[in-house]
Amino acid sequence: MSNCTVIPVPALQDNYMYLIIDNDSKKAAVIDPVDVDAIQKAAHDNHATITTILTTHNHWDHSGGNIKLVKTLSTIDRVYGGVGDGVPGCTHEVGEGDTFTIGNSTHVKVLFTPCHTPGHVCYYIDNAHVFTGDTMFISGCGNFNTGTPRQMTEAFDKLLGLPDDTNVWVGHEYTAKNCAFACFCEPNNQDLKGRQKWAEGQGSLHNGGKGTVPSTIKME
């Protein structure tokens, strides 16, 4: 049973940041806090204290707020990033299978998923949530900027090996576009057409809609 609360926080045009609150201690980690003001407001509104930054990869729209947030909040004592990814402000480089805790009892396991960047990581939390950055999107995958198709396949095999009911929290609201591309590739696939209609109806948190996060491993 998960001991944390996950709050998606929209940023920039289509990015997602996340506030992960340990329910026992009210200490929190933030995923990819590029918009420092917005993530601080989310923490304040939910009576949480940010102590940890979890960075999925080094691209500016995910890691660009790290140093500013650390300078702003004296409560932050750890900044995680993937081994060899050069994440700004990183104090703890992590790789496959590394584990640590947020607050009193929210457990984090690292999945090493290089391809989009050399040290991209995903964070599997409380055996209930996975934060996939720019590796897995809803109905899509990230660009192979520094990697190979084999690396992305290995990353997806790793993610899709998680329990079916695992919540999937992605790095961008790309779902409607991904579904449109899938329908272009398979124009007679009624399941895809249904998912595209659903995604368009959900809209985006960035524009006042509901958004499409989270998905689940079973759905992906």
Side-chain angles (χ1 to χ4, degrees):
M1 181 177 178
S2 176
N3 194 54
C4 68
T5 299
V6 177
I7 298 169
V9 183
L12 305 178
Q13 182 177 351
D14 51 36
N15 279 68
Y16 279 121
M17 311 180 290
Y18 296 98
L19 180 70
I20 305 164
I21 305 171
D22 176 67
N23 293 330
D24 289 340
S25 65
K26 289 296 183 179
K27 292 182 179 180
V30 291
I31 300 272
D32 295 348
V34 62
D35 186 332
V36 170
D37 292 339
I39 204 68
Q40 286 187 96
K41 183 179 186 302
H44 178 268
D45 290 348
N46 289 277
H47 311 290
T49 300
I50 299 172
T51 63
T52 308
I53 296 175
L54 308 180
T55 317
T56 60
H57 64 291
N58 64 23
H59 288 169
W60 74 270
D61 59 324
H62 295 261
S63 66
N66 285 7
I67 292 174
K68 181 179 179 181
L69 190 60
V70 169
K71 288 181 178 179
T72 302
L73 297 178
S74 61
T75 54
I76 296 174
D77 57 11
R78 293 175 291 168
V79 179
Y80 289 94
V83 172
D85 214 44
V87 166
C90 184
T91 61
H92 292 69
E93 285 198 336
V94 288
E96 180 67 25
D98 287 342
T99 60
F100 53 91
T101 302
I102 301 165
N104 293 341
S105 52
T106 297
H107 300 286
V108 183
K109 181 179 180 180
V110 177
L111 306 177
F112 192 58
T113 54
C115 183
H116 187 71
T117 63
H120 191 294
V121 292
C122 300
Y123 297 98
Y124 182 44
I125 297 183
D126 274 355
N127 297 318
H129 309 278
V130 65
F131 297 83
T132 59
D134 284 6
T135 292
M136 175 183 284
F137 295 119
I138 300 174
S139 299
C141 71
N143 294 328
F144 303 0
N145 292 320
T146 62
T148 65
R150 179 183 292 275
Q151 284 183 312
M152 188 61 79
T153 299
E154 291 172 349
F156 263 62
D157 286 346
K158 195 175 294 185
L159 291 166
L160 294 175
L162 298 175
D164 283 351
D165 60 353
T166 303
N167 290 313
V168 177
W169 303 91
V170 300
H172 292 268
E173 182 56 73
Y174 287 164
T175 308
K177 292 179 181 179
N178 287 341
C179 289
F181 178 71
C183 287
F184 172 79
C185 295
E186 298 184 28
N188 297 319
N189 189 320
Q190 296 304 311
D191 289 339
L192 287 176
K193 289 182 179 180
R195 199 170 206 205
Q196 182 183 15
K197 184 178 180 180
W198 167 79
E200 291 173 346
Q202 290 293 106
S204 170
L205 282 177
H206 304 71
N207 299 315
K210 296 179 180 179
T212 60
V213 292
S215 183
T216 64
I217 289 296
K218 183 177 182 179
M219 286 297 295
E220 299 311 313

